[in-house]
Amino acid sequence: MVKTVIIETQGGPEVLTVTDRPVGEPGPGEIRIRHHAVGLNFIDCYQRSGLYKMALPHALGMEAAGVVEAVGEGVTHLKPGDRAAYACQPPGAYTEARVMPAAQVCPLPDGISFEEGAAMMLKGMTVQYLFHRTVPLKAGDTVLFHAAAGGVGLIACQWAKSEGITLIATAGSDAKCQMALEHGATHAINYTTEDFATRVRELTNGRGVDVVMDSIGASTFEGSLDCLRPVGMMISFGNASGPVPPFDLGKLAAKGSLQITRPTLFVHIARHEDCQAMARQLFGKVLAGDVKIQIDQRFPLDQVQDAHRALEARKTTGSTILTV
């Protein structure tokens, strides 16, 4: 029996319940992994709240790191005793141990701790697909990145700096803006005291940015479009302030033949080979020192409700993990 966080109904943090559940043996294509640390992400809140519908009851959590205890038939890239980390479907990472599909579980290099592994997989591979699989960014390009002091944002700031990309960060306080600058952002805008669209135009001499990467959603969407150069790309990859409401596609033409996409990590990592290659690039960035994983909050598994409240109130910076 292992401690596992489940929801029986969707709602606020109070629906998160810690219970004891059995963990069995892995079948073909599966592993059993004993977690050392678990990552916390906004997608967990979306699944808990009902923004993303799911069959109930269900365990939550998309990201963790630990040690492989057993492997099922056909699993060749992992063996018992291996250190491993993952960010993948199905939810169920908020637990001490689990049986799960092996294809998107990645061998974790010795130079990366379990806590770093749990804090970096979903966020780091998100940055990888934003920078390398959604738009072919190159040195000299300019990106506007919202929520730049969060877990994804701080990785993005460092990733951009390592590749010669100008990153304009937004955040909700002067302290968070300073944090983004310290992690490699070229400029930072406090969106609570400045109009970020106006400031972006000033910083780019009226041209606009090549790409906007927006995980906030409803409250920043219109302003984000106003930050783009003609034929620029809007990447809407999250809903922290709520989902983007329906809008008139004609606005894209009027604002400069803009492009827009709504990607998700889980499409990009669906193929085993792609997932492992993305993880290797992320691990390489961390091992080279180009990206440092900042963990600013740690909560015991049985305090998961408090962790969700802190994340949704935007009281967190960097990454947040659950300890098991």
Side-chain angles (χ1 to χ4, degrees), residues 177-216:
C177 285
Q178 184 60 38
M179 185 178 296
L181 292 169
E182 291 170 354
H183 282 76
T186 310
H187 307 283
I189 302 167
N190 182 342
Y191 59 74
T192 67
T193 59
E194 290 189 274
D195 181 279
F196 70 82
T198 299
R199 184 63 179 139
V200 164
R201 289 291 172 180
E202 293 172 353
L203 291 170
T204 59
N205 297 315
R207 175 180 180 268
V209 297
D210 299 296
V211 180
V212 175
M213 299 179 179
D214 187 345
S215 64
I216 296 180

Side-chain angles (χ1 to χ4, degrees), residues 134-135 144 146 209-217 220-228 231-238 244 247 252 258-263:
T134 308
V135 182
L144 173 65
H146 289 298
V209 297
D210 299 296
V211 180
V212 175
M213 299 179 179
D214 187 345
S215 64
I216 296 180
T220 52
F221 181 76
E222 291 286 346
S224 292
L225 293 179
D226 291 335
C227 293
L228 285 167
V231 202
M233 172 65 82
M234 169 71 174
I235 306 175
S236 177
F237 70 101
V244 175
F247 79 106
L252 301 180
L258 303 181
Q259 305 172 74
I260 188 166
T261 184
R262 178 55 172 94

Side-chain angles (χ1 to χ4, degrees), residues 17-51:
T17 303
V18 181
T19 187
D20 289 326
R21 296 182 117 190
V23 57
E25 296 299 320
E30 295 181 331
I31 64 163
R32 186 175 72 241
I33 183 169
R34 176 73 53 173
H35 291 155
H36 286 233
V38 175
L40 184 72
N41 296 283
F42 261 106
I43 190 173
D44 308 343
C45 299
Y46 303 157
Q47 291 170 341
R48 187 213 72 228
S49 70
L51 180 61

Side-chain angles (χ1 to χ4, degrees), residues 13-14 45 48 304-315:
E14 68 279 359
C45 299
R48 187 213 72 228
V304 64
Q305 292 185 6
D306 293 335
H308 273 235
R309 291 187 183 101
L311 185 63
E312 288 184 302
R314 300 188 188 181
K315 293 181 178 179

Side-chain angles (χ1 to χ4, degrees), residues 121-191:
M121 294 299 289
L122 191 146
K123 304 168 190 68
M125 289 198 295
T126 293
V127 174
Q128 196 279 340
Y129 87 71
L130 290 172
F131 279 69
H132 292 283
R133 294 172 64 90
T134 308
V135 182
L137 289 174
K138 60 186 184 303
D141 286 344
T142 301
V143 171
L144 173 65
F145 203 101
H146 289 298
V152 177
L154 293 183
I155 294 173
C157 290
Q158 297 172 81
W159 200 295
K161 183 178 181 180
S162 75
E163 298 187 353
I165 295 164
T166 297
L167 188 143
I168 302 173
T170 76
S173 70
D174 290 342
K176 288 184 175 182
C177 285
Q178 184 60 38
M179 185 178 296
L181 292 169
E182 291 170 354
H183 282 76
T186 310
H187 307 283
I189 302 167
N190 182 342
Y191 59 74

